[in-house]
Amino acid sequence: MMDQRPSIVESLQPLVETNTRFSTVYADPPWSYRNKAARGAAENHYRTLELDVICDEPVSKLVEPNAHLHLWTTNGFLREAFTVIDAWGFQFKSCLVWVKPQLGMGNYWRVSHEYLLLGVRGSMPFVDKTCRSWLIHPRTRHSSKPFAIRQLIERVSPGPYLELYGRVEQPRTQWTVYGNQVERRLF
């Protein structure tokens, strides 16, 4: 039977109202940085959200009792990311580091990496325990994550999948994408 989940949603509320549940959540929150004047400031590229708004997303109502959360964060929001993990009903377990070969920006170190934190709800095991905790992949447009990460998530975590703050539709897959910049794909 074909999964009847929509591939794109503009609000999480209809999913809550229809009691839709996901085994895996993949989230790239639009963190609101203090440094708004820099050329690379997030606000120059997309609408950002304050921590309390991110924490208030109804994620805990959308996941199975046993589920995975893959949450992106940067050095600037590492502490806050743990607050989000807790607010959404998960426990931190591990992380993956995305290493970007290009020189990054930063007020201290020239930051050329991001963290993908793993949260677990209940007793959801990792499907594939042969995966490394790091990935070297070049960056592309601002804040866009490598597609290889999505493939890696599919190796280690079961579907159906909910991507929060996504940018690209994944039609005819187990992925539902929620975001205000989602580009539709033909295939």
Side-chain angles (χ1 to χ4, degrees):
M1 181 173 130
M2 183 69 169
D3 195 342
Q4 297 301 311
R5 297 168 200 277
S7 63
I8 297 177
V9 294
E10 294 178 10
S11 169
L12 296 176
Q13 198 55 41
L15 298 175
V16 171
E17 291 169 2
T18 57
N19 204 29
T20 304
R21 297 286 184 261
F22 298 89
S23 296
T24 299
V25 176
Y26 175 47
D28 186 11
W31 304 108
S32 183
Y33 288 85
R34 285 186 213 102
N35 183 358
K36 299 179 188 317
R39 177 179 51 88
E43 281 81 359
N44 294 337
H45 301 275
Y46 49 81
R47 185 175 65 90
T48 61
L49 298 174
E50 296 296 325
L51 178 62
D52 61 330
V53 175
I54 295 168
C55 287
D56 286 343
E57 296 283 20
V59 175
S60 63
K61 296 176 182 175
L62 293 169
V63 293
E64 296 288 354
N66 298 305
H68 283 168
L69 168 65
H70 299 272
L71 178 73
W72 282 110
T73 191
T74 60
N75 286 351
F77 284 91
L78 187 55
R79 184 179 301 274
E80 291 83 351
F82 290 95
T83 301
V84 172
I85 290 170
D86 293 341
W88 289 354
F90 292 85
Q91 290 185 332
F92 171 76
K93 295 297 182 183
S94 190
C95 75
L96 176 138
V97 178
W98 169 27
V99 178
K100 307 169 190 179
Q102 305 94 327
L103 185 63
M105 300 181 308
N107 296 322
Y108 304 99
W109 302 113
R110 297 298 300 266
V111 180
S112 298
H113 67 278
E114 289 187 44
Y115 302 102
L116 184 64
L117 306 181
L118 172 67
V120 176
R121 179 177 179 172
S123 60
M124 178 67 74
F126 235 42
V127 176
D128 183 347
K129 295 180 181 177
T130 66
C131 299
R132 292 182 176 142
S133 63
W134 55 271
L135 173 76
I136 298 174
H137 202 283
R139 72 171 51 109
T140 57
R141 70 181 183 162
H142 184 84
S143 191
S144 182
K145 304 304 186 270
F147 191 76
I149 296 293
R150 181 187 300 275
Q151 294 170 322
L152 192 57
I153 289 171
E154 290 177 348
R155 281 181 54 192
V156 301
S157 299
Y161 305 95
L162 173 62
E163 180 176 0
L164 300 179
Y165 319 112
R167 294 192 172 168
V168 180
E169 177 186 31
Q170 301 300 316
R172 294 179 295 285
T173 68
Q174 291 188 68
W175 288 88
T176 297
V177 181
Y178 162 68
N180 62 5
Q181 293 184 321
V182 181
E183 298 174 5
R184 293 203 174 263
R185 294 172 53 147
L186 297 176
F187 52 88

